Amino acid sequence: MVTSSDVPPPARILIIEDERALAQVLGSYLVKAGYDVHYATEGPASVAAARDLDPEVILLDLGLPGLDGLEVCRQVRTFSDCYILMLTARDDETDRIIGLGVGADDYIGKPFSPREVVARVNAVLRRPRPSKTSGSGEPAEERDFGDVRIDPVAREVWVRGRKVSLTRTEFDILDVLSRQPKAALTRRQIIDQVWNAEWVGDDHVVNVHVGNLRRKLGDDPNEPVYLLTIRGIGYRMGLPGSH
Ligand code: CA
């Protein structure tokens, strides 16, 4: 009854976990903390749920029937830049996930305390993710890189006249790199500008977004021309046709 238009709607959280009892316990803590909690129990349906629900946070169990958590993470990352917290059963699994770089933002080992999960979710949602594109005072003209055109005002990207659909994070990374096309930026510098400096997750999450960006721009992952890997540093915008 006391819904005021000043109060933002509660953040949506999707729990993807096949152990229903565990999911329910976690969910009850999150509901008590004021979140809008949804559940999925197996891989393929959970990707669809993530697409439909567009949650702010996903808690994702690694061991799922149908499609494992790594693949769910990989698929969700192609269309969403929500915060993904992986629930892992063992420490060595966490190492493996980080090594594979599927795009999870953080990891928490089982058994975990639901309070700890709630604390992490709270921390993540408190952190603003301002886009540096607006309000920077810089001229925001369209930028052309070979067949790729970037419109920073409309936040649109075109490849050979065809508009491509990027997540906010993908666009922000492309924006940061293309704004200073001669600069090689470290993953940490990219994170500082796209996520912001308080972000504490794994730097290699950048690789996953760059990988998805390359695919969407039609860049060859083995011989990219737009998003160049600068060994030992990070990434730089390529200038096709001018080198
Ligand atoms: Ca499981």
Side-chain angles (χ1 to χ4, degrees):
M1 293 296 111
V2 254
T3 45
S4 152
S5 57
D6 294 341
V7 178
R12 285 181 304 281
I13 298 181
L14 176 61
I15 301 177
I16 305 176
E17 166 65 78
D18 59 312
E19 282 174 63
R20 286 168 197 270
L22 178 58
Q24 290 299 332
V25 170
L26 210 47
S28 68
Y29 274 81
L30 288 161
V31 166
K32 232 179 281 168
Y35 295 113
D36 177 17
V37 179
H38 301 256
Y39 302 89
T41 55
E42 46 97 30
S46 67
V47 176
R51 201 184 284 275
D52 294 345
L53 193 64
D54 191 21
E56 276 87 359
V57 176
I58 293 180
L59 305 179
L60 174 57
D61 178 33
L62 183 64
L64 288 173
L67 191 64
D68 79 8
L70 292 176
E71 191 50 34
V72 169
C73 187
R74 208 176 267 129
Q75 291 189 17
V76 168
R77 256 306 164 253
T78 64
F79 60 83
S80 168
D81 48 15
C82 70
Y83 182 85
I84 300 179
L85 175 59
M86 291 281 271
L87 313 175
T88 64
R90 303 189 313 266
D91 283 351
D92 58 327
E93 281 183 349
T94 304
D95 294 343
R96 205 176 104 235
I97 303 168
I98 293 173
L100 284 171
V102 293
D105 296 284
D106 206 353
Y107 316 86
I108 190 165
K110 294 178 183 176
F112 46 74
S113 101
R115 279 195 188 82
E116 190 186 347
V117 175
V118 172
R120 289 214 201 175
V121 169
N122 289 342
V124 140
L125 291 171
R126 262 200 310 271
R127 194 172 53 218
R129 282 184 44 185
S131 170
K132 297 295 163 68
T133 316
S134 53
S136 63
E138 290 167 38
E141 287 174 2
E142 292 185 357
R143 306 169 200 138
D144 288 304
F145 296 86
D147 292 331
V148 174
R149 164 161 289 198
I150 301 160
D151 179 346
V153 176
R155 294 178 63 82
E156 286 175 352
V157 174
W158 304 75
V159 179
R160 282 185 219 95
R162 185 179 55 91
K163 191 167 134 187
V164 293
S165 159
L166 302 183
T167 67
R168 183 174 58 163
T169 300
E170 287 162 2
F171 182 87
D172 286 346
I173 290 174
L174 188 61
D175 184 40
V176 162
L177 288 169
S178 64
R179 210 187 307 151
Q180 36 204 331
K182 289 182 180 140
L185 300 182
T186 65
R187 290 174 183 80
R188 182 41 60 177
Q189 287 172 320
I190 293 170
I191 283 172
D192 286 352
Q193 294 183 58
V194 171
W195 278 261
N196 88 29
E198 287 146 56
W199 197 79
V200 291
D202 176 19
D203 287 5
H204 288 86
V205 73
V206 174
N207 304 12
V208 176
H209 294 287
V210 167
N212 288 335
L213 256 176
R214 280 180 177 147
R215 201 168 36 73
K216 290 179 180 181
L217 299 181
D219 218 354
D220 180 347
N222 298 312
E223 228 173 305
V225 295
Y226 298 117
L227 293 156
L228 309 181
T229 300
I230 308 301
R231 213 159 282 287
I233 301 176
Y235 297 101
R236 175 169 78 72
M237 202 66 200
L239 301 165
S242 60
H243 59 254

